[in-house]
Short mmCIF file of all heavy atoms in Angstrom, two decimals:
data_model
loop_
_atom_site.label_atom_id
_atom_site.label_comp_id
_atom_site.label_asym_id
_atom_site.label_seq_id
_atom_site.Cartn_x
_atom_site.Cartn_y
_atom_site.Cartn_z
N ASP A 137 -14.67 12.33 17.78
CA ASP A 137 -15.96 12.78 17.25
C ASP A 137 -15.88 12.95 15.74
O ASP A 137 -16.80 12.57 15.00
CB ASP A 137 -16.38 14.10 17.90
CG ASP A 137 -16.68 13.95 19.38
OD1 ASP A 137 -16.93 12.81 19.82
OD2 ASP A 137 -16.68 14.97 20.09
N ALA A 138 -14.78 13.53 15.28
CA ALA A 138 -14.60 13.75 13.85
C ALA A 138 -14.51 12.42 13.11
O ALA A 138 -15.07 12.24 12.03
CB ALA A 138 -13.36 14.60 13.58
N ALA A 139 -13.81 11.45 13.69
CA ALA A 139 -13.67 10.14 13.07
C ALA A 139 -15.01 9.42 13.00
O ALA A 139 -15.35 8.80 11.98
CB ALA A 139 -12.65 9.30 13.83
N LEU A 140 -15.79 9.51 14.09
CA LEU A 140 -17.11 8.87 14.10
C LEU A 140 -18.04 9.48 13.05
O LEU A 140 -18.82 8.78 12.40
CB LEU A 140 -17.73 8.98 15.49
CG LEU A 140 -17.13 8.08 16.57
CD1 LEU A 140 -17.72 8.42 17.93
CD2 LEU A 140 -17.34 6.61 16.24
N ALA A 141 -17.95 10.79 12.89
CA ALA A 141 -18.77 11.47 11.89
C ALA A 141 -18.41 10.98 10.49
O ALA A 141 -19.28 10.82 9.63
CB ALA A 141 -18.59 12.98 11.99
N LEU A 142 -17.12 10.73 10.25
CA LEU A 142 -16.71 10.21 8.95
C LEU A 142 -17.26 8.80 8.75
O LEU A 142 -17.71 8.44 7.65
CB LEU A 142 -15.18 10.18 8.86
CG LEU A 142 -14.48 11.53 8.82
CD1 LEU A 142 -12.97 11.33 8.90
CD2 LEU A 142 -14.84 12.31 7.55
N GLY A 143 -17.23 8.01 9.82
CA GLY A 143 -17.76 6.66 9.73
C GLY A 143 -19.23 6.64 9.35
O GLY A 143 -19.68 5.78 8.59
N ALA A 144 -19.98 7.62 9.87
CA ALA A 144 -21.40 7.72 9.54
C ALA A 144 -21.62 8.02 8.07
O ALA A 144 -22.70 7.77 7.54
CB ALA A 144 -22.05 8.79 10.41
N ARG A 145 -20.58 8.54 7.41
CA ARG A 145 -20.66 8.84 5.97
C ARG A 145 -20.11 7.69 5.13
O ARG A 145 -19.97 7.82 3.92
CB ARG A 145 -19.86 10.11 5.66
CG ARG A 145 -20.44 11.37 6.27
CD ARG A 145 -19.45 12.54 6.22
NE ARG A 145 -18.88 12.73 4.90
CZ ARG A 145 -17.82 13.51 4.66
NH1 ARG A 145 -17.24 14.16 5.66
NH2 ARG A 145 -17.35 13.64 3.43
N GLY A 146 -19.81 6.57 5.77
CA GLY A 146 -19.32 5.41 5.05
C GLY A 146 -17.83 5.40 4.81
O GLY A 146 -17.33 4.57 4.05
N ILE A 147 -17.10 6.30 5.47
CA ILE A 147 -15.64 6.35 5.32
C ILE A 147 -15.01 5.40 6.33
O ILE A 147 -15.42 5.34 7.49
CB ILE A 147 -15.14 7.79 5.51
CG1 ILE A 147 -15.72 8.68 4.40
CG2 ILE A 147 -13.61 7.85 5.51
CD1 ILE A 147 -15.59 10.16 4.67
N ARG A 148 -14.03 4.64 5.92
CA ARG A 148 -13.43 3.59 6.75
C ARG A 148 -12.44 4.20 7.74
O ARG A 148 -11.23 4.03 7.65
CB ARG A 148 -12.75 2.55 5.86
CG ARG A 148 -12.27 1.32 6.60
CD ARG A 148 -11.63 0.35 5.62
NE ARG A 148 -10.72 -0.57 6.27
CZ ARG A 148 -9.86 -1.36 5.64
NH1 ARG A 148 -9.80 -1.32 4.32
NH2 ARG A 148 -9.08 -2.17 6.31
N ALA A 149 -12.98 4.91 8.72
CA ALA A 149 -12.15 5.57 9.74
C ALA A 149 -12.17 4.76 11.02
O ALA A 149 -13.20 4.24 11.44
CB ALA A 149 -12.66 6.97 10.01
N SER A 150 -11.01 4.64 11.67
CA SER A 150 -10.90 4.01 12.97
C SER A 150 -9.99 4.87 13.85
O SER A 150 -9.29 5.76 13.36
CB SER A 150 -10.35 2.58 12.85
OG SER A 150 -9.14 2.56 12.14
N VAL A 151 -10.02 4.61 15.15
CA VAL A 151 -9.29 5.42 16.13
C VAL A 151 -8.25 4.57 16.84
O VAL A 151 -8.54 3.44 17.27
CB VAL A 151 -10.27 6.02 17.16
CG1 VAL A 151 -9.51 6.68 18.32
CG2 VAL A 151 -11.21 7.03 16.50
N LEU A 152 -7.05 5.10 16.96
CA LEU A 152 -6.01 4.45 17.75
C LEU A 152 -5.67 5.38 18.91
O LEU A 152 -5.15 6.47 18.70
CB LEU A 152 -4.78 4.15 16.90
CG LEU A 152 -3.81 3.10 17.45
CD1 LEU A 152 -2.87 2.60 16.35
CD2 LEU A 152 -2.98 3.62 18.62
N ARG A 153 -6.00 4.94 20.13
CA ARG A 153 -5.71 5.73 21.32
C ARG A 153 -4.34 5.36 21.87
O ARG A 153 -4.04 4.19 22.09
CB ARG A 153 -6.76 5.47 22.40
CG ARG A 153 -8.15 6.01 22.09
CD ARG A 153 -9.13 5.53 23.13
NE ARG A 153 -10.47 6.11 22.95
CZ ARG A 153 -11.56 5.61 23.50
NH1 ARG A 153 -11.49 4.51 24.26
NH2 ARG A 153 -12.74 6.20 23.30
N LEU A 154 -3.52 6.37 22.11
CA LEU A 154 -2.22 6.19 22.72
C LEU A 154 -2.26 6.63 24.17
O LEU A 154 -2.99 7.55 24.53
CB LEU A 154 -1.16 7.00 21.97
CG LEU A 154 -0.90 6.59 20.52
CD1 LEU A 154 0.10 7.55 19.89
CD2 LEU A 154 -0.40 5.16 20.43
N PRO A 155 -1.46 6.00 25.04
CA PRO A 155 -1.42 6.40 26.45
C PRO A 155 -0.63 7.70 26.63
O PRO A 155 0.05 8.16 25.69
CB PRO A 155 -0.73 5.22 27.13
CG PRO A 155 0.12 4.62 26.05
CD PRO A 155 -0.62 4.83 24.76
N PRO A 156 -0.67 8.28 27.83
CA PRO A 156 0.04 9.55 28.03
C PRO A 156 1.55 9.45 27.89
O PRO A 156 2.20 10.44 27.57
CB PRO A 156 -0.35 9.96 29.46
CG PRO A 156 -0.87 8.72 30.10
CD PRO A 156 -1.46 7.90 29.01
N SER A 157 2.10 8.27 28.10
CA SER A 157 3.53 8.11 27.86
C SER A 157 3.77 7.13 26.71
O SER A 157 3.50 5.95 26.82
CB SER A 157 4.26 7.59 29.11
OG SER A 157 5.64 7.40 28.81
N VAL A 158 4.23 7.69 25.58
CA VAL A 158 4.78 6.87 24.50
C VAL A 158 6.29 7.08 24.61
O VAL A 158 6.79 8.18 24.36
CB VAL A 158 4.25 7.31 23.13
CG1 VAL A 158 4.87 6.44 22.03
CG2 VAL A 158 2.74 7.23 23.08
N HIS A 159 6.99 6.04 25.01
CA HIS A 159 8.39 6.23 25.43
C HIS A 159 9.35 5.56 24.47
O HIS A 159 8.96 4.85 23.54
CB HIS A 159 8.58 5.71 26.85
CG HIS A 159 8.21 4.27 27.04
ND1 HIS A 159 9.09 3.23 26.88
CD2 HIS A 159 7.01 3.68 27.36
CE1 HIS A 159 8.48 2.09 27.10
NE2 HIS A 159 7.22 2.33 27.40
N GLY A 160 10.63 5.80 24.70
CA GLY A 160 11.69 5.27 23.86
C GLY A 160 12.75 6.33 23.63
O GLY A 160 12.59 7.49 24.01
N LYS A 161 13.84 5.95 23.01
CA LYS A 161 14.92 6.89 22.75
C LYS A 161 14.43 8.00 21.84
O LYS A 161 13.80 7.74 20.81
CB LYS A 161 16.12 6.17 22.13
CG LYS A 161 17.38 7.02 22.11
CD LYS A 161 18.60 6.19 21.81
CE LYS A 161 19.87 7.03 21.94
NZ LYS A 161 21.10 6.24 21.69
N GLY A 162 14.70 9.24 22.21
CA GLY A 162 14.23 10.39 21.45
C GLY A 162 12.92 10.95 21.95
O GLY A 162 12.40 11.93 21.40
N ASP A 163 12.35 10.36 23.01
CA ASP A 163 11.11 10.84 23.62
C ASP A 163 11.23 12.32 23.96
O ASP A 163 12.23 12.77 24.51
CB ASP A 163 10.86 10.01 24.89
CG ASP A 163 9.54 10.33 25.58
OD1 ASP A 163 8.80 11.21 25.11
OD2 ASP A 163 9.26 9.69 26.61
N HIS A 164 10.19 13.10 23.64
CA HIS A 164 10.17 14.51 24.00
C HIS A 164 8.81 14.87 24.59
O HIS A 164 8.32 15.98 24.43
CB HIS A 164 10.50 15.39 22.80
CG HIS A 164 9.63 15.13 21.60
ND1 HIS A 164 9.94 14.19 20.65
CD2 HIS A 164 8.45 15.67 21.20
CE1 HIS A 164 9.00 14.17 19.72
NE2 HIS A 164 8.07 15.06 20.04
N GLY A 165 8.20 13.90 25.28
CA GLY A 165 6.87 14.11 25.83
C GLY A 165 6.85 14.31 27.33
O GLY A 165 7.69 15.01 27.90
N PHE A 166 5.88 13.67 27.98
CA PHE A 166 5.66 13.88 29.41
C PHE A 166 6.88 13.53 30.25
O PHE A 166 7.28 14.29 31.14
CB PHE A 166 4.48 13.03 29.89
CG PHE A 166 3.13 13.64 29.62
CD1 PHE A 166 2.17 12.91 28.94
CD2 PHE A 166 2.81 14.91 30.07
CE1 PHE A 166 0.90 13.45 28.70
CE2 PHE A 166 1.56 15.45 29.83
CZ PHE A 166 0.61 14.72 29.15
N VAL A 167 7.46 12.35 30.05
CA VAL A 167 8.52 11.87 30.93
C VAL A 167 9.77 12.76 30.87
O VAL A 167 10.32 13.13 31.92
CB VAL A 167 8.86 10.40 30.63
CG1 VAL A 167 10.14 9.98 31.34
CG2 VAL A 167 7.69 9.51 31.08
N PRO A 168 10.25 13.16 29.70
CA PRO A 168 11.38 14.09 29.69
C PRO A 168 11.07 15.41 30.40
O PRO A 168 11.96 16.02 31.00
CB PRO A 168 11.66 14.30 28.20
CG PRO A 168 11.19 13.05 27.57
CD PRO A 168 9.96 12.68 28.34
N ARG A 169 9.80 15.85 30.33
CA ARG A 169 9.44 17.07 31.05
C ARG A 169 9.52 16.85 32.55
O ARG A 169 10.01 17.71 33.30
CB ARG A 169 8.03 17.52 30.64
CG ARG A 169 7.56 18.78 31.34
CD ARG A 169 8.46 19.96 31.08
NE ARG A 169 8.07 21.14 31.83
CZ ARG A 169 8.91 22.01 32.37
NH1 ARG A 169 10.21 21.84 32.24
NH2 ARG A 169 8.46 23.06 33.03
N LEU A 170 9.08 15.68 33.02
CA LEU A 170 9.21 15.36 34.45
C LEU A 170 10.68 15.31 34.87
O LEU A 170 11.04 15.78 35.96
CB LEU A 170 8.54 14.01 34.74
CG LEU A 170 7.01 13.97 34.66
CD1 LEU A 170 6.53 12.53 34.73
CD2 LEU A 170 6.38 14.81 35.77
N ILE A 171 11.52 14.75 34.02
CA ILE A 171 12.94 14.70 34.31
C ILE A 171 13.53 16.11 34.37
O ILE A 171 14.32 16.45 35.26
CB ILE A 171 13.67 13.85 33.26
CG1 ILE A 171 13.23 12.39 33.37
CG2 ILE A 171 15.19 13.96 33.42
CD1 ILE A 171 13.73 11.51 32.23
N SER A 172 13.12 16.96 33.43
CA SER A 172 13.61 18.33 33.41
C SER A 172 13.20 19.09 34.68
O SER A 172 14.01 19.83 35.27
CB SER A 172 13.06 19.04 32.17
OG SER A 172 13.52 20.37 32.09
N ILE A 173 11.96 18.88 35.13
CA ILE A 173 11.49 19.53 36.36
C ILE A 173 12.29 19.04 37.56
O ILE A 173 12.71 19.83 38.43
CB ILE A 173 9.98 19.28 36.56
CG1 ILE A 173 9.18 20.02 35.49
CG2 ILE A 173 9.53 19.71 37.96
CD1 ILE A 173 7.71 19.63 35.45
#
Side-chain angles (χ1 to χ4, degrees):
D137 293 341
L140 287 173
L142 292 173
R145 294 167 49 193
I147 296 165
R148 189 179 158 192
S150 54
V151 171
L152 199 163
R153 291 172 175 162
L154 296 176
S157 178
V158 179
H159 57 90
K161 193 166 186 178
D163 184 359
H164 54 271
F166 278 126
V167 169
R169 180 59 185 143
L170 290 170
I171 293 171
S172 181
I173 291 169

